[in-house]
Amino acid sequence: MVKGDETKSKRPAPAAEQEEFEETPLRTAIWTYLGYAILILFGHFRDFLRDWGIEKTKFKRETGMQGFVPLFADFEAFYTRNLYMRIRDCWNRPISSVPGSHFDVLERATDDYNWNFRMTGRKIPLLNLGSYNYLGFAQNEGPCADAAAQAIREYGVASASSRTELGTSELHVKLEKLVAEFLGKEDAVVVGMGFATNSTIIPILCGKGSLVISDELNHASLVLGCRLSGASIQVFKHNDIEALERLLKRAVVEGQPRTHRPWKKIVIVVEGIYSMEGSIFRLPELIALKKKYKAYLWLDEAHSVGALGAHGRGVTEFHNVDPADVDIMMGTFTKSFGSAGGYCAGSKEIINHMRTHAHSSFHATSMSAPVAQQIISSMTVIMGRDGTDDGQRRIAQLADNARFFRTELKKMGFIVYGNDASPIVPLMIFQASKIAAFSRECLKRGVGIVVVGFPATPIITSRARFCLSASHTREDLEKALAVISEVGNLLGMKVSQKTPSRDYVLRR
Amino acid sequence: MNNSISHLCFFQSLPLIILKLDATQTHRVYYCCCIIVLTLHFPPPLRLTQRMSAADADMVAQLSLLEIANLLLAKLLSYVPSLPSHGPIFELLHHAFYEAPAYHLILEGLLVLSILWLVVRKSDKSKDKGPKLTAKEVEEIIAEWQPEPLVPVSGPEPVVVPVVQGPAAAFVQIDGQKKINLASFNFLNFVGNKKVEDAAVTSLKKYGVGSCGPRGFYGTIDVHLELESKLAKFTQTEEAVLYSYAFSTVASVIPAYSKRGDILFVDEAISFPLAQGVLASRSTVKYFKHNDMADLERLLIEQQREDAKLAKKAKLSRRFVVVEGLYANTAEIAPLKRLVELKWQYKVRIMLDETFSFGVLGDHGRGITEHFGISPEDIDIMTSSLEHAVGSIGGFSYGKTFVMDHQRLSSQGYCFSASLPPLLASAALCALEAMEKSPDMFTTLRSRSKAIHAKLSTALGRHLVVSGDASAPMKFLTVKQTKGRAADEALLDLIVSKANDKNVVLTRARYIEDYERVQRPPAIRIALNIGHSEGEVENAIRDIAAAADEAAKAHSS
């Protein structure tokens, strides 16, 4: 449930890479809880005022539905009304350009404390540290964009049919071959949406009598897919191999609960890079366990494909693991490839089974042509088949950017989670009130960042999340670091006890 | 002095508690709070320390909480008259018990108990309750266990699907041959439309292909907002919420509103994505016969009776009727008028999926509400797709702002997925503008559908049955004299392939047989396109009839 503390002594760091989750300082933890307590008390107080008509109610109420059971329970709305609404401007900021290294955010103003926004018409140019544009393929010009435009001319925008009816075009066939080749697997299927890849394909691999063992921090789509499958689900602590082994051992030895029949099969579901933690799964140890206990492995590489490994092949290449040891390699094209959709790669039989059974093959429209072409183009570049070293350069730049940025943040005395090699860098904010402050202050200084709080994270570990990109130059990052440091000082966020920063010590 | 000692006690006991337990942060903070309160609630001994010698005070300072607890026990024992009691520690505890107010003791007692409870509960959970086996036995069991293969070893080979060269427009190219397309849901001929493609290219030149993030994290692009407000205006509702894939739209919207304990009344012919949404909601599901309002009413009356028995529970469980405007599986139109009557009579909300009716039914293509002249306000939650009549990718949900806004924080497919690629949003916008500008396309489509329904029935009447509403732009052709599922499928496949030889592209309606709740009869599904001229369609129908004749002959011999 709470991640901030799972770390300390129990988990030996992988030899090659440092992965850390510094303990939340007790003082910070107490302040954070206190902050929420005040917010909640104040929220109740204002609700009381609203109920008595002293404060004007700004939220809509449902009218004309007498006798119906209310659509939302009131306590569900409490959090939205009294906490989220105060800082709503930190999310859903509309942009008006390509989400590259810089983007234009449309300025929104509010006359009623975030209940309604209006556009001022002004565009704010920002340095983009929020988009998943790892290899910098979010581009509106250059060979990839030209090829995508050509694809629109040649193949149209969409197909209005599913893959098993009339939705398969030459592009899909070409793309699937290329994906399989890129990942070193026999075959692959592609789906028009990353979320739907998980939620429509996992259910056809396991069902009643099977066991799914899932990391506690798995993405919502994985959780949904597992739930729709009807299999039993057990959850283990994030990235905790010992906990996983305990579960596996018990599952094999004891079988199903009550009846003690052996499980039909066990599927382990994990991600490569965790998008909120910046951690990389300990794959080699997982593979050893999977072999010992004969479990199957579904590896979601939504964030790691393209972003990790010397050739961008993802977490298997990063850990030097044979892709053949991973039964299903799933991933998305939204991030590193600057496109949309998802894939599953595996052995011929597995992919055939998906083609003949996956919900998405039958009841979802096939992938749009320009989207498919963008993936083909960017993957070709990554593989170096365009005859340039552009792909390699991007991969190297991303790795370099990630290391530099993370190291600098740590030096400044921030608490930063995750693996040194991860292009996702979560910086701990902790206190609820600082979520908005940090985001707004960075915006003021020309840096667009993503902040995340409860319920997307545990209540205490609110964070800012930076996504680095190969399109960031060193100057971009230096500018961002200066801004973050300044805002960090302003908000007293440099609370790491490992390397107390000079500023922080001085301030005390 | 007081403070320093209470702090000492606090800090001494803290590591003891923290190190001992594999606790979560929440627990730890809770323990700490308990301990703070505990130490602060020990005023008598602290006062006492002022009278103590320096050595005694040191000794007290050295005590950890557990030691104090031991001493407490000893003190309790000391109340047994025969035991001697003397020394500064006993004096300290004596004061703690006799000079502290009673509520202090009760409060502290409760705190101690609650800590104990937490500790015990935690360790209870981690205890292995399995049968006691030796390590060797465990190893043997692990070595012996053989799981089922991940996928069936000899699963069916994938159906050979036609690979389209170029756009899947009104006419498609397959194997180098130009063929008339009666398979894809391109009712309004927006796939292959030059203007739509231009809009997409312009958008691509501005925004690139992917949006590189979910709506919350800079994945909201101005075209998304524009498309949402255009959709709301088009459907005459307050708000529309855009999704990046039609499948995930319906499958996410249902569970966003209906939770465990709520009740769904579901038409048994609903399409697969809706069924996934129903499944994901974990609500109680009651199926009624396809389009049978009497059957639905029977269920609603039954529910009323149950509610009367459990009035308290009934007040909390939301009820929804889940229907489609134009059913994907049957091409029938839902009796919406009666549904709305039932809604107000029995206080059930309506979830309406307009995947196939949007852009098809109604004089302005607004869907089934317009078709029946019902105000969209009467329907609580509507979903639809941009992948069918609109010819792009994506889905959307629309209705009142009060209802829709909830999805922006609670719908999984909306919150946890990258947003729609902006070029696809621009393509949809362009198509919507065309729909607004020339609403005659809807009347053409409908009159065409009716005419073709009659023509198909006469031309194919010998072998096949045409089903579906006459005004629906898709028709299901099923085998007239069924000879069992496998034989029917083979016959239909043969018709499809013979028609393909005559340059007419048809498709069988494909279902995932192992996963559909209700088996649908094997069928060929014809989808019309206003891009075909009447003559072209008539030729196609003649070809299909010829293909059916040939196939039937070949099949029976």
Side-chain angles (χ1 to χ4, degrees), chain A residues 237-298:
Chain A
K237 209 170 183 182
H238 173 54
N239 219 349
D240 187 339
I241 293 290
E242 290 79 21
L244 173 61
E245 174 154 26
R246 273 199 300 279
L247 279 186
L248 278 170
K249 190 180 269 178
R250 194 190 302 172
V252 174
V253 173
E254 289 177 23
Q256 302 187 30
R258 285 198 324 114
T259 60
H260 293 287
R261 277 196 202 121
W263 291 105
K264 285 184 182 160
K265 53 193 161 193
I266 301 175
V267 183
I268 304 170
V269 179
V270 297
E271 290 180 46
I273 295 184
Y274 281 80
S275 70
M276 288 291 167
E277 310 300 302
S279 52
I280 299 177
F281 206 90
R282 293 157 66 184
L283 203 57
E285 290 144 288
L286 173 64
I287 300 279
L289 280 189
K290 159 197 167 338
K291 283 185 176 158
K292 180 173 173 196
Y293 294 96
K294 304 179 198 95
Y296 301 105
L297 175 58
W298 174 288

Side-chain angles (χ1 to χ4, degrees), chain B residues 344-361:
Chain B
W344 293 110
Q345 191 180 345
Y346 294 96
K347 312 291 181 199
V348 285
R349 292 169 193 271
I350 299 179
M351 283 189 183
L352 170 66
D353 179 50
E354 296 222 60
T355 295
F356 284 90
S357 48
F358 179 79
V360 169
L361 296 181

